[in-house]
Amino acid sequence: EADIYQTPRYLVIGTGKKITLECSQTMGHDKMYWYQQDPGMELHLIHYSYGVNSTEKGDLSSESTVSRIRTEHFPLTLESARPSHTSQYLCASSPSWLQGQPQHFGDGTRLSIL
Amino acid sequence: AQTVTQSQPEMSVQEAETVTLSCTYDTSESDYYLFWYKQPPSRQMILVIRQEAYKQQNATENRFSVNFQKAAKSFSLKISDSQLGDAAMYFCAFLLLSGSARQLTFGSGTQLTVLP
């Protein structure tokens, strides 16, 4: 049973559209993350947040933006989608970094930009 | 910067047999965690096992165990009595406990096929 939810699961949309990928978790975790993963490839961190009103860019440069207005919600937005944004986007959360708590992942959103 | 290397893009194992997935990492730090995650096709990432770097004893979770060699910076995953449900992409990951950014660094993954 998933405690972290991503919508939509799949999205096919045209170039230039504004897209928001939703991510919500019900575990009360402070830490949330967005990863980008091309098929069969490694995960790359694109954004993370350590709490409300806290957002940072990850290792992989991304044209997307994120917001963290509520603890449980961490949406990712692409203002103008391009074919190069086609990928899978995984959201994750974790309760604490001090004890090396593992991250919990959502099911992912497969995004295709035509 | 930390790096994680999985040198086996694909592996296969016969059902009920044992398979070992390799992972090496590079860091100058001494305090960290290592993880193996499993990602079935089109499904969530699931934590399989984790190892604290300060513990010498290898972690074990049922049929899954690791061989952690800190000096060699090696962290391999052994799956015993392989089952069809073990087929997935397996990712090795590294978490550093110092510094300002605490996020997982993932390897490129190993696609495991289990043959009936």
Side-chain angles (χ1 to χ4, degrees):
Chain A
E1 182 177 347
D3 295 311
I4 181 165
Y5 306 93
Q6 289 185 243
T7 58
R9 286 293 308 277
Y10 304 92
L11 179 61
V12 181
I13 200 166
T15 299
K17 301 293 185 181
K18 180 179 179 179
I19 300 166
T20 296
L21 308 185
E22 301 288 348
C23 177
S24 296
Q25 50 96 4
T26 59
M27 297 170 283
H29 289 172
D30 290 327
K31 314 300 185 285
M32 295 189 75
Y33 313 82
W34 276 103
Y35 293 91
Q36 186 173 341
Q37 182 188 28
D38 291 328
M41 303 295 285
E42 65 257 56
L43 287 81
H44 292 285
L45 182 71
I46 51 175
H47 296 284
Y48 60 97
S49 167
Y50 287 160
V52 172
N53 294 325
S54 155
T55 61
E56 300 287 343
K57 288 188 178 296
D59 301 325
L60 182 68
S61 175
S62 173
E63 295 169 343
S64 59
T65 60
V66 292
S67 63
R68 190 86 183 277
I69 299 173
R70 304 198 316 265
T71 298
E72 63 271 20
H73 195 212
F74 191 41
L76 180 144
T77 298
L78 283 162
E79 289 295 331
S80 180
R82 297 208 304 268
S84 61
H85 296 142
T86 295
S87 189
Q88 174 166 252
Y89 293 83
L90 285 166
C91 181
S93 70
S94 64
S96 167
W97 49 262
L98 283 176
Q99 287 78 38
Q101 289 289 333
Q103 296 180 4
H104 300 252
F105 285 83
D107 286 337
T109 294
R110 292 190 183 274
L111 179 63
S112 294
I113 310 300
L114 305 177
Chain B
Q2 283 60 237
T3 59
V4 178
T5 302
Q6 293 179 248
S7 59
Q8 306 153 315
E10 297 176 346
M11 291 281 285
S12 62
V13 62
Q14 207 72 34
E15 194 175 5
E17 297 292 312
T18 296
V19 64
T20 299
L21 309 184
S22 301
C23 173
T24 59
Y25 57 95
D26 188 22
T27 183
S28 58
E29 304 291 336
S30 59
D31 197 10
Y32 51 86
Y33 282 78
L34 293 161
F35 303 87
W36 277 98
Y37 278 88
K38 167 185 177 181
Q39 187 181 38
S42 302
R43 295 185 64 183
Q44 284 183 309
M45 293 273 282
I46 303 165
L47 178 69
V48 175
I49 198 166
R50 75 173 185 180
Q51 173 81 43
E52 292 92 335
Y54 64 86
K55 288 188 177 180
Q56 291 186 333
Q57 185 174 6
N58 289 325
T60 300
E61 287 287 340
N62 301 314
R63 297 182 294 108
F64 298 88
S65 62
V66 298
N67 183 5
F68 174 48
Q69 302 289 329
K70 190 171 184 179
K73 297 178 183 174
S74 170
F75 182 60
S76 60
L77 174 70
K78 185 172 84 170
I79 306 174
S80 304
D81 186 24
S82 298
Q83 300 174 0
L84 295 177
D86 294 335
M89 179 75 89
Y90 285 81
F91 289 93
C92 178
F94 173 98
L95 175 66
L96 184 64
L97 295 181
S98 63
S100 59
R102 295 168 183 83
Q103 60 265 8
L104 291 174
T105 300
F106 287 90
S108 56
T110 297
Q111 182 67 52
L112 178 66
T113 300
V114 180
L115 305 170

